[in-house]
Amino acid sequence: MSWLLENWFGSKESLEQVREDIHENLHTELYLGVSGIEDPEQSANRLPSKELFVSLHGPWDALEEQEAELLRYIHDELPPVVRDEVGIFPFYTQVTQDGYLVLTYIRNATENSVLLDTLPLTLITPEGEVVASKNFEMMTFGPIGDESSRPCEFLFRWNEFSNLPEKETPLTLGYRKPEKKSGESLFAGGEIEMDEIEYYRQQLAANPVEEGKVDLKALGLKEAENGSIKVVVLFRNGLDKRLEFTEVPIIINDQNGDTVARVSYTLENMKVDPKDYRIIAFQIPATSILKEGVSIEDCTVFIPKATQQKKEPTVFDATKPKGFLQ
């Protein structure tokens, strides 16, 4: 990562010149709409950037102190963030051999830790043409603490472009807000293949959301890459109000009742609209699997309990799937 930082404002002779260059490179912040308010970018209820804690995780925690201080300085120069929102603020772009790189801060101005699932982002020309679209999986990025900010890079590879612009064309980052069909939320989280999505849609069409019932159910489990296990969980909200699910404990047992895996995921700010549902895939890493040599087809997955904000009544199911597609 430091090879990028070496080129950032390094030739400037004073912090004031650096500050001017920072503001010249800033883009418009994108908001994910977690607050539920319309047009959050127009809100005047904002939190100064300096009041957010800058957290350097992953490849960013290996930076030299001077480079880390530069990242904190850039962050402090950002405009205030909308309260109770999660924003993505691009602050630097670069054309690389692999693709178009956008460096951002993901700023969490809510009072809860936030775990993102998938971010559908685009690159847009000054004329408004979308030249690249990509869904970035964010589960491995980990949680973003309350009132904190984390740097994050998004790389659009050249073979992912629908139309290659001229090298000098400035591109801006866009957020494709998920489009909903009637009564249906976006399938989110880990990778769910198209044939699996179609299968689940058919199953849900035959079993619609029940009035007054909140349902958290494991739909299936499947062997995934690197010895991990993928578990698909259905969240259904039959109430007249929006719900926030905060915890998803998952237990997998074999046919003898022995525990194969026991994990718990924190999903604060994961909301389901009234009379609606969401489906999220969770990937249990191989390091969390307690028993080896077990056939997934002989296993049962349970959701023993979960936490819901405002303590609404809950009903939890378990299922014993034999693969995803029957």
Side-chain angles (χ1 to χ4, degrees), residues 112-245:
N112 297 309
S113 175
V114 172
L115 179 61
L116 301 175
D117 38 46
T118 302
L119 281 177
L121 302 177
T122 61
L123 288 178
I124 308 169
T125 67
E127 293 74 31
E129 179 188 3
V130 175
V131 294
S133 300
K134 185 174 181 178
N135 289 328
F136 290 90
E137 302 295 336
M138 300 296 294
M139 294 293 282
T140 57
F141 186 71
I144 306 166
D146 57 292
E147 296 189 353
S148 71
S149 179
R150 287 183 59 182
C152 181
E153 64 177 19
F154 297 104
L155 177 64
F156 292 81
R157 299 187 180 278
W158 297 124
N159 61 3
E160 296 169 337
F161 276 67
S162 58
N163 183 25
L164 283 176
E166 296 292 333
K167 185 177 181 180
E168 296 77 14
T169 301
L171 301 176
T172 56
L173 193 67
Y175 171 60
R176 290 188 290 111
K177 190 172 182 178
E179 296 182 1
K180 288 177 56 179
K181 298 180 180 179
S182 177
E184 180 180 285
S185 289
L186 177 74
F187 285 80
E191 293 184 2
I192 304 180
E193 279 114 30
M194 290 305 298
D195 55 353
E196 295 172 349
I197 290 175
E198 183 57 34
Y199 169 74
Y200 291 131
R201 282 180 174 155
Q202 293 175 6
Q203 295 289 68
L204 292 171
N207 298 276
V209 178
E210 294 184 29
E211 181 75 27
K213 182 178 179 181
V214 178
D215 187 28
L216 180 58
K217 182 177 182 179
L219 293 180
L221 73 164
K222 182 180 182 181
E223 292 183 2
E225 58 185 19
N226 299 323
S228 62
I229 299 175
K230 182 168 70 173
V231 178
V232 175
V233 178
L234 166 67
F235 301 77
R236 288 194 291 196
N237 175 18
L239 303 181
D240 293 324
K241 62 171 65 177
R242 195 184 197 196
L243 294 183
E244 177 178 352
F245 290 83

